[in-house]
Amino acid sequence: MSTKHGKKGDILLEMKDIRIDGFSDERWHKIIKGIDLTLHRGEVMGLIGESGAGKSTLGLASMGFTKPGCKITSGSVVFDGKDLVTASEDEKRSLWGTRIAYVAQSAAASFNPAHRLLNQTVEASLNQNLQSRDLAEADARDLYKQLQLPEPENIGDRYPHQVSGGQLQRMMTAMAMSPRPDLIIFDEPTTALDVTTQVEVLVAMRSIVEKFNTAALYITHDLAVVAQMADVIKVLRYGKEVEEADTRKMLKSPKEEYTKSLWSVRALEKAEAPSDDIILSINNVDAAYNGSLKVLHDVNIKIPRGRTVAVVGESGSGKSTTARVITGLLPPMVGNVEFNDGALPAELKDRTKDQLQRIQMIYQSADTAMNPRQTIAEIIGRPLEFYHGLSGLQKQERILELLKMIELDESFYDRFPSELSGGQKQRVCIARALAADPEIIICDEVTSALDQIVQEGILKLLLNLQKEYNITYLFITHDIAVVNAISDEIVVMYQGAVIEQGLKSEIMSPPHPEYTQLLLNSVPEMDPDWLTKLVKSR
Amino acid sequence: MTDTPQAYSAAAEIGQIRERRTWIQIAKIELKKAPYSAWFGLIVIAIYLFVAIFAPLLAPHGEAEIFPASFAPWGGDFVFGTDQIGRDIFSRLIYGARNTIGIALATTLLSFAIGGSLGLIAAISGGWLDQLLSRFVDVLMAIPGLIFALMLLTIFGSSILSLIMIIAVLDSTRVFRLTRSVSVSVVVMDYVEAAKLRGEKLGWIMRREILPNIMPPLIAEFGLRFSFVFLTIAALSFLGLGIQPPTADWGSMVRDNASMIQFAKYDLTAALTPMIPAGAIALLTVAVNFVVDWFLHITSGLNDEH
């Protein structure tokens, strides 16, 4: 089926010198500073860039829509011959949902929990009287089948909470596809999914977009994903275009320095160094929440001193629960944690100050890990006075020293967390952990909320600190690129059990246990043919 | 902006630095933008406070000074006349501000100390302690407040101390609920967990990690609670169980002079006399509410301009 309104290769969407302002802190800021964009029918364009680059704002602007507090100040958005900037609300509304569809990052937040999925899938088609309910529902079931959803005949009768995250994301693609739009905007549709789930969703989305010859804007910060999905890539930064080129050309020979730096992040790799000096070992641990829901099954992990052990696995595999057992937040039912040859008390309240000081933790979200009402000096200074009894000038000097260690200058001393960027916040969290003078730091997905370039900075910092102070890391992550960059040893977890533990080189080279194989296969590579090859090899 | 790409450097990552404002500057900016209702409320509260603090200097006569002329008309030596035993109503109004506001303030502070700390403890510790406290509060709240207060006052006698204690305990139930519900969302934050992992004591976590983050709703509630406490005391005094004579208080002044309203056809000003303390109560309540509204509006970050 070709698109209803034209043939492949025609220009579908043309944005000229679009400028968007946003209102915050009592003044207008420029968010998009003049971008041109041309999208042909049946073409998929990837929009990439770090957060704040204006990807999502530009994506929404292609529908003629801006978020509350934003406005299009100049430029034009011509969709199929009609300028959406000057179009009336009614005109735009007749396009939205039917000829232009939007797939958001969080599918769970985009579905109405009170209605069955099938009704929501066909809603847009019915509202615009595109087809009868029977036809629309039959078509929706067909879409479910093509998106490889289980039980395509009946799955529509379920409610949103009755399907998994990956299924819901595909469901949303079905909803967007139901009226056969000319253009779909995918806004980070797989960012919240596990790698193993992400592959399924990517395959489904790509095949259906190809089949119906739909044009798409694919917004993401993940280069490897965009390499699979897009025909053309446009790189954005600070609301401006850095460069645009065909995917293959862009991957092979990026022109701009910024693009090159984006590409190089994934090349970071630590040379592994084996060690037998065990600092912390988790022995035969079983753990459960509320005494009933068992989440860890006979977990054994050994962590050598001054090394990094990466724990990988999808969400729900027990990675973070393991961290909670080590810190004493969740006492194990069976087994124990040995630290420096002595067993740690299971409960947090039974541990001595000395034991607490030696094990520190850094969280995934630096936003919630720092009290918004405390200054950076208070945040970093508290462990200093609490563990080491420092005060006054001594404390102040040590804080400045720590700031220097995390590559921030003294101007950060009396700032509040809200005045810092994401990467800076995570650095302050690292400084707070360092302030305690720990022997081991547990890093729980510390880089997964950050942009690639910022990630690289944090990883390099952690590596340098390890070299200098011989700190041990337990690094929880789901990102294989991060594992490569930082670890000496790897622990693979699945459904609360350890699948294997070993040196990085051992784990990364075949033969693999079944799950490790699946996990490694699911990690997108920068090769644009990767997904095609993967589908073929199945 | 030039897009010179570079290796990542944290110092270069700084966006615009917002200028740091002291709270006095912030208050000035907000006051400039404040609506008329808020200004009205602030001015009224300021006048009340002024009167309460300087009562002995402002009042022409003593608080309980009795003159031979009872039920004297308005004007002359007595601006609003005298009451049934010959005390100057104007002076008693002024002293009444001091007593009524002072007692209401003490009561509200006490109820926040009780309800706030128990609410925080319930939110942090959770489990059976939270259940115990919450259910106990539910039981207290199930009993109609005024009737319960009347009952307790008859048991313990209506001294100012027991008045403060009883109303504070009864009112702390609402403070408890509010504190607990706003704290629950702060307690789950990673920084509270980080403090626990550091080995911090419960008191420190309450004071330093949680309290600063729940202040705005608590301050707003303080204003509202104050209004309610103030009204409750006035109501109790009107019923004769609140502040006891000869201490001047607006609630009992309304009761003492209520019968004068029947003389409206002979002397309008005499009939207005009981309305003045009643009006004073109403005005302060409205003023406090205006200010609380404004404060909530600022701190909730709601902006209706855009």
Side-chain angles (χ1 to χ4, degrees):
Chain A
M1 182 180 150
S2 71
T3 46
K4 289 166 293 186
H5 303 275
K7 61 177 198 293
K8 188 166 180 157
D10 291 352
I11 289 179
L12 177 68
L13 175 77
E14 195 164 30
M15 299 170 88
K16 280 232 168 78
D17 193 34
I18 197 88
R19 288 166 195 275
I20 299 174
D21 283 3
F23 194 88
S24 67
D25 293 333
E26 303 179 14
R27 58 175 171 213
W28 290 94
H29 301 275
K30 289 185 168 48
I31 297 178
I32 303 287
K33 302 162 185 164
I35 291 183
D36 297 332
L37 186 153
T38 309
L39 188 67
H40 300 89
R41 284 188 185 276
E43 187 178 53
V44 179
M45 177 183 281
L47 292 178
I48 61 170
E50 57 200 74
S51 54
K55 312 183 290 281
S56 292
T57 313
L58 188 68
L60 289 173
S62 69
M63 311 169 65
F65 179 81
T66 56
K67 286 200 175 127
C70 294
K71 63 175 183 194
I72 299 177
T73 52
S74 70
S76 63
V77 179
V78 179
F79 174 80
D80 205 16
K82 175 173 276 171
D83 188 355
L84 296 182
V85 175
T86 52
S88 71
E89 284 297 310
D90 280 343
E91 283 176 302
K92 283 191 274 188
R93 207 171 295 128
S94 72
L95 293 175
W96 292 345
T98 52
R99 294 196 57 202
I100 309 178
Y102 181 77
V103 177
Q105 174 171 358
S106 167
S110 306
F111 276 99
N112 186 334
H115 291 285
R116 292 179 197 276
L117 291 165
L118 187 60
N119 290 336
Q120 301 192 53
T121 309
V122 299
E123 196 182 352
S125 300
L126 296 185
N127 277 349
Q128 302 284 340
N129 295 319
L130 293 181
Q131 45 191 335
S132 73
R133 174 171 280 273
D134 286 348
L135 279 177
E137 287 186 357
D139 177 61
R141 292 199 185 94
D142 188 42
L143 283 173
Y144 294 159
K145 204 159 143 195
Q146 295 185 35
L147 288 163
Q148 288 164 11
L149 284 160
E151 299 178 55
E153 291 303 317
N154 304 323
I155 195 168
D157 295 330
R158 299 194 201 170
Y159 287 97
H161 69 272
Q162 291 170 317
V163 300
S164 72
Q167 288 167 359
L168 206 57
Q169 200 69 49
R170 276 179 276 170
M171 201 49 104
M172 199 147 97
T173 310
M175 180 162 83
M177 210 39 114
S178 167
R180 298 290 184 281
D182 298 310
L183 171 64
I184 296 194
I185 294 145
F186 292 102
D187 193 350
E188 306 253 12
T190 61
T191 308
L193 303 177
D194 282 315
V195 276
T196 45
T197 324
Q198 172 174 282
V199 172
E200 302 305 321
V201 177
L202 287 180
V203 170
M205 285 194 307
R206 197 172 75 163
S207 69
I208 206 155
V209 167
E210 263 170 26
K211 174 147 196 237
F212 295 117
N213 200 10
T214 315
L217 284 178
Y218 196 97
I219 300 167
T220 182
H221 66 272
D222 192 333
L223 297 163
V225 167
V226 90
Q228 311 311 315
M229 300 300 290
D231 306 316
V232 182
I233 295 179
K234 191 191 264 298
V235 183
L236 302 181
R237 194 186 196 195
Y238 302 136
K240 277 186 183 166
E241 177 180 323
V242 177
E243 65 176 310
E244 179 184 326
D246 283 356
T247 302
R248 280 168 203 281
K249 206 168 139 197
M250 179 81 96
L251 289 175
K252 215 180 276 166
S253 52
K255 269 188 275 187
E256 299 293 324
E257 282 300 316
Y258 175 67
T259 318
K260 280 181 197 156
S261 72
L262 278 179
W263 263 235
S264 70
V265 172
R266 301 209 152 227
L268 202 64
E269 187 167 353
K270 184 188 181 186
E272 68 182 27
S275 166
D276 290 330
D277 179 14
I278 302 297
I279 180 171
L280 188 139
S281 64
I282 302 167
N283 305 318
N284 308 88
V285 161
D286 280 7
Y289 285 110
N290 303 326
S292 57
L293 183 67
K294 203 167 160 191
V295 278
L296 291 184
H297 309 275
D298 195 25
V299 169
N300 286 287
I301 297 174
K302 293 199 180 336
I303 303 170
R305 189 184 303 276
R307 300 290 183 269
T308 307
V309 174
V311 181
V312 292
E314 56 197 60
S315 55
S317 60
K319 307 187 297 279
S320 295
T321 311
T322 308
R324 292 177 76 82
V325 169
I326 298 174
T327 54
L329 284 170
L330 182 74
M333 291 155 66
V334 187
N336 68 350
V337 179
E338 268 178 58
F339 183 60
N340 284 336
D341 299 328
L344 279 176
E347 299 244 16
L348 179 64
K349 63 178 192 313
D350 299 330
R351 296 192 181 175
T352 63
K353 215 170 180 177
D354 188 50
Q355 286 166 333
L356 293 175
Q357 173 231 320
R358 286 162 200 270
I359 303 178
Q360 290 294 312
M361 175 129 180
I362 308 173
Y363 294 86
Q364 167 168 12
S365 158
D367 285 313
T368 57
M370 290 192 287
N371 192 331
R373 306 269 170 169
Q374 290 176 1
T375 63
I376 302 307
E378 284 175 282
I379 289 168
I380 303 179
R382 181 60 191 169
L384 292 176
E385 60 184 52
F386 188 77
Y387 293 127
H388 306 301
L390 295 187
S391 61
L393 206 60
Q394 262 183 322
K395 187 173 92 174
Q396 200 176 335
E397 272 169 16
R398 180 68 185 146
I399 292 172
L400 291 175
E401 233 173 83
L402 284 162
L403 279 176
K404 200 176 279 171
M405 279 161 68
I406 55 167
E407 295 155 23
L408 298 180
D409 58 42
E410 63 266 34
S411 72
F412 286 85
Y413 190 85
D414 54 2
R415 284 204 210 169
F416 284 94
S418 59
E419 296 165 315
L420 270 57
S421 71
Q424 291 164 348
K425 282 182 199 161
Q426 199 56 282
R427 278 165 193 264
V428 172
C429 287
I430 293 173
R432 174 170 66 183
L434 287 176
D437 229 344
E439 290 180 32
I440 178 165
I441 300 181
I442 300 168
C443 305
D444 191 353
E445 301 269 9
V446 293
T447 57
S448 49
L450 303 172
D451 290 316
Q452 306 258 346
I453 296 188
V454 182
Q455 251 185 38
E456 189 188 16
I458 297 282
L459 291 176
K460 277 184 179 160
L461 173 68
L462 287 170
L463 286 173
N464 287 342
L465 292 170
Q466 182 167 55
K467 225 180 271 168
E468 208 157 319
Y469 304 100
N470 200 32
I471 301 169
T472 313
Y473 296 127
L474 178 69
F475 207 94
I476 296 168
T477 182
H478 66 270
D479 187 341
I480 301 291
V482 171
V483 172
N484 266 327
I486 194 145
S487 69
D488 298 284
E489 292 194 15
I490 300 176
V491 175
V492 182
M493 288 189 79
Y494 179 61
Q495 291 188 346
V498 173
I499 301 284
E500 55 177 338
Q501 169 169 17
L503 288 172
K504 179 163 60 180
S505 53
E506 290 167 13
I507 302 285
M508 290 299 208
S509 53
H512 301 296
E514 197 181 340
Y515 177 71
T516 314
Q517 183 73 50
L518 176 68
L519 192 67
L520 290 176
N521 279 350
S522 306
V523 181
E525 287 166 21
M526 291 292 272
D527 172 10
D529 298 322
W530 170 78
L531 194 61
T532 320
K533 281 185 206 153
L534 185 71
V535 173
K536 264 192 203 144
S537 74
R538 283 188 184 168
Chain B
M1 198 177 304
T2 51
D3 292 354
T4 44
Q6 69 274 309
Y8 174 75
S9 107
E13 199 194 315
I14 312 170
Q16 324 106 327
I17 304 159
R18 265 184 289 163
E19 50 184 303
R20 170 76 36 76
R21 291 170 179 149
T22 64
W23 68 270
I24 299 176
Q25 282 171 307
I26 295 171
K28 267 188 195 159
I29 292 169
E30 290 299 341
L31 270 178
K32 243 181 236 167
K33 291 192 299 187
Y36 293 122
S37 61
W39 272 108
F40 170 79
L42 284 171
I43 291 169
V44 170
I45 292 172
I47 294 172
Y48 271 69
L49 285 179
F50 179 80
V51 170
I53 291 165
F54 297 105
L57 300 175
L58 295 170
H61 303 288
E63 183 182 1
E65 202 179 340
I66 299 174
F67 295 93
S70 60
F71 291 123
W74 285 24
D77 201 13
F78 312 110
V79 181
F80 292 134
T82 58
D83 64 3
Q84 76 279 16
I85 56 171
R87 291 172 300 195
D88 178 34
I89 290 193
F90 181 60
S91 304
R92 284 180 69 75
L93 265 179
I94 290 171
Y95 278 102
R98 178 176 251 202
N99 298 327
T100 318
I101 294 175
I103 291 170
L105 205 58
T107 310
T108 319
L109 282 172
L110 187 61
S111 78
F112 267 76
I114 300 170
S117 50
L118 288 181
L120 274 174
I121 290 171
I124 297 174
S125 48
W128 63 269
L129 186 62
D130 180 22
Q131 286 296 324
L132 188 77
L133 286 168
S134 299
R135 296 299 82 78
F136 178 68
V137 163
D138 286 349
V139 170
L140 272 189
M141 286 177 89
I143 307 168
L146 195 61
I147 294 172
F148 199 29
L150 281 174
M151 196 182 83
L152 290 173
L153 278 169
T154 1
I155 296 171
F156 294 106
S158 44
S159 67
I160 287 183
L161 186 69
S162 60
L163 186 70
I164 291 178
M165 297 291 275
I166 288 165
I167 300 181
V169 169
L170 292 183
D171 244 53
S172 67
T173 55
R174 287 166 205 281
V175 182
F176 170 87
R177 274 204 176 170
L178 177 80
T179 316
R180 186 185 163 280
S181 61
V182 291
S183 307
V184 161
S185 59
V186 178
V187 164
V188 296
M189 288 290 174
D190 287 338
Y191 56 82
V192 177
E193 191 182 296
K196 277 186 195 158
L197 286 183
R198 193 157 60 226
E200 299 285 4
K201 301 262 185 315
L202 182 69
W204 199 90
I205 295 178
M206 272 167 63
R207 250 190 6 266
R208 302 296 298 276
E209 303 286 356
I210 298 178
L211 202 55
N213 288 294
I214 60 169
M215 271 327 256
L218 283 191
I219 291 174
E221 179 72 3
F222 187 87
L224 287 180
R225 276 298 109 211
F226 173 78
S227 296
F228 280 109
V229 166
F230 183 73
L231 289 174
T232 311
I233 291 174
L236 286 172
S237 298
F238 179 79
L239 293 172
L241 275 164
I243 300 165
Q244 297 301 312
T247 311
D249 151 76
W250 295 337
S252 43
M253 282 175 73
V254 176
R255 184 185 60 154
D256 292 348
N257 299 309
S259 57
M260 287 166 79
I261 215 159
Q262 298 164 11
F263 299 97
K265 50 187 164 185
Y266 310 112
D267 181 1
L268 197 63
T269 55
L272 278 178
T273 309
M275 304 295 232
I276 296 169
I281 295 167
L283 186 62
L284 182 60
T285 313
V286 170
V288 169
N289 273 293
F290 275 155
V291 174
V292 168
D293 262 3
W294 170 60
F295 181 80
L296 267 182
H297 194 79
I298 300 171
T299 51
S300 64
L302 291 174
N303 266 328
D304 44 13
E305 292 135 84
H306 333 285

